[in-house]
Amino acid sequence: MEPQQAQGRSWQIITTALDRTMGTGKGSQSGWVRYLCPVHEADGHHHNPSLGVRYDPSQSKTIVRCFAGCDDRDVLARLDLRVRDMFDRLPERDPNRRSPRTQPRTTTSEQQLAPVERAIQAARFPIPARRDLGTQTGPAANVDTYVYRWPDGRVEGAVTRVHTPHEYGYAKSFWQARWTGTAWEPGGFAPIPWRLNHIREALDTGREIFVCEGEKDVQRANQAGLIATCNAMGAGSWKPEHARWLVGAGRVIVVADRDCPGYRHAAKVADTLAGRVGEVRVLQARSGKDLADHFDAGYQLEDLTPVPYLDRPQQPRFRPAGRTRSR
């Protein structure tokens, strides 16, 4: 980690906790020191560090920002720190300013939390142990490519899954490319769901649609005879533009990955679909992290469990649709 001038107490506290938990940070030309995010990048796989830390001497404060969208409070909680640790010292109170006696002091637990924050609190996700993969043992290899097409079959873009072998497993990464009509160019593409032709089939036939976090789970859902979709690049990348393609569906089942980013992703998907489809459910694997783990553990579709606070309790109990044809 490159040294920063005018470091304060907060900088020492936060960077020491990050160095201990996530490894040494790396400086950048933008002035941010980059770390792996302890909320969504602590799974032991390879990631491009998305957490930035910067000291602001004008505020005597250390700024912590996950550029993938994780809440600062969640990042600090994973480090056993609090928001006050971002400040070198707490702001001094005006001795002439008095709080009204009629307003009782409330704790954070008593304040109204968004449903997704309540769901995360209730789940009590453990901090994932950082997995040491050892040294790299071979070149990176493209193991799968997921092509995104418009309903008429025109290619829009693709996501490629990459595995890099190491001594004790492999590092996982992804990259995107868009199709110009004549060539592939690296970079993102229009926000369309994967396998749009399947979504159109579901809308035409009244079948339910499963929304998963990634293409691998969509493939497993297809193998089980289900119609499923996802957005490119996983959690945090769902947009309202994706949701508009599902408008009019009779029932959509959002399958949440069992971690903080997975819950937040599922909540966003469900929010963008509320009032636009007949029924939205938010379910999760009975065992493991995702739908693939659920099936690998021997569970059936009807064994998916509701996510507390995110699933709609007023809606009828989930029942899989009738027999579906194989894909």
Side-chain angles (χ1 to χ4, degrees):
M1 180 181 61
E2 296 181 359
Q4 290 214 354
Q5 296 180 351
Q7 297 174 6
R9 171 180 172 275
S10 61
W11 174 263
Q12 298 295 337
I13 291 174
I14 290 175
T15 56
T16 297
L18 281 166
D19 288 343
R20 181 180 63 251
T21 306
M22 306 306 298
T24 304
K26 296 181 179 179
S28 65
Q29 294 181 349
S30 64
W32 295 91
V33 176
R34 302 301 288 263
Y35 288 90
L36 293 174
C37 174
V39 175
H40 77 283
E41 293 175 333
D43 56 5
H45 294 301
H46 172 76
H47 298 277
N48 292 322
S50 59
L51 183 72
V53 182
R54 179 168 61 85
Y55 185 72
D56 184 352
S58 65
Q59 300 184 69
S60 299
K61 174 185 178 181
T62 297
I63 301 171
V64 178
R65 181 177 302 168
C66 175
F67 294 99
C70 295
D71 191 282
D72 294 352
R73 292 170 297 180
D74 291 335
V75 173
L76 293 169
R78 290 299 180 99
L79 302 172
D80 291 327
L81 300 177
R82 295 172 294 175
V83 171
R84 65 181 300 170
D85 292 316
M86 296 171 64
F87 297 86
D88 291 349
R89 59 184 181 277
L90 294 178
E92 295 182 3
R93 295 185 61 185
D94 184 349
N96 297 319
R97 183 178 178 180
R98 297 176 179 269
S99 300
R101 294 181 180 272
T102 55
Q103 296 181 358
R105 185 177 180 181
T106 58
T107 63
T108 301
S109 61
E110 293 172 333
Q111 297 172 357
Q112 184 66 33
L113 296 176
V116 66
E117 301 303 327
R118 298 175 68 188
I120 290 172
Q121 279 192 358
R124 297 183 179 275
F125 294 120
I127 299 176
R130 191 178 184 192
R131 185 182 174 193
D132 183 8
L133 296 176
T135 59
Q136 184 174 332
T137 59
N142 298 338
V143 298
D144 210 344
T145 297
Y146 314 109
V147 178
Y148 282 67
R149 302 176 184 269
W150 295 96
D152 62 6
R154 288 182 295 117
V155 173
E156 169 61 26
V159 175
T160 296
R161 184 186 187 98
V162 181
H163 287 181
T164 304
H166 286 67
E167 288 180 292
Y168 310 114
Y170 63 85
K172 177 180 66 174
S173 60
F174 300 87
W175 59 273
Q176 297 181 84
R178 57 182 173 273
W179 178 246
T180 65
T182 57
W184 289 100
E185 290 186 352
F189 48 86
I192 60 174
W194 195 36
R195 298 191 168 173
L196 265 178
N197 59 324
H198 292 187
I199 295 176
R200 297 297 293 270
E201 176 187 343
L203 295 177
D204 292 341
T205 61
R207 292 181 59 188
E208 59 198 4
I209 301 171
F210 287 75
V211 178
C212 304
E213 188 173 303
E215 293 90 356
K216 185 178 178 181
D217 280 342
V218 171
Q219 290 176 328
R220 289 300 300 271
N222 292 161
Q223 293 170 7
L226 308 173
I227 289 180
T229 188
C230 67
N231 57 272
M233 303 307 287
S237 299
W238 180 270
K239 303 179 183 298
E241 290 87 344
H242 293 105
R244 75 179 186 87
W245 291 98
L246 280 67
V247 172
R251 178 165 59 174
V252 176
I253 296 97
V254 184
V255 184
D257 275 21
R258 296 173 66 105
D259 55 21
C260 294
Y263 272 26
R264 291 201 172 95
H265 179 76
K268 186 173 183 179
V269 174
D271 287 344
T272 59
L273 293 173
R276 309 176 78 181
V277 302
E279 180 185 3
V280 181
R281 300 300 308 271
V282 183
L283 309 178
Q284 62 187 347
R286 184 175 292 271
S287 176
K289 179 183 177 182
D290 52 28
L291 187 61
D293 290 342
H294 177 85
F295 286 143
D296 287 343
Y299 290 109
Q300 303 301 312
L301 186 62
E302 57 268 24
D303 297 321
L304 290 170
T305 62
V307 178
Y309 302 109
L310 296 186
D311 192 42
R312 275 38 176 187
Q314 73 276 14
Q315 294 174 343
R317 184 176 178 82
F318 169 70
R319 294 188 301 275
R323 181 178 295 275
T324 54
R325 60 182 181 275
S326 300
R327 301 202 62 81

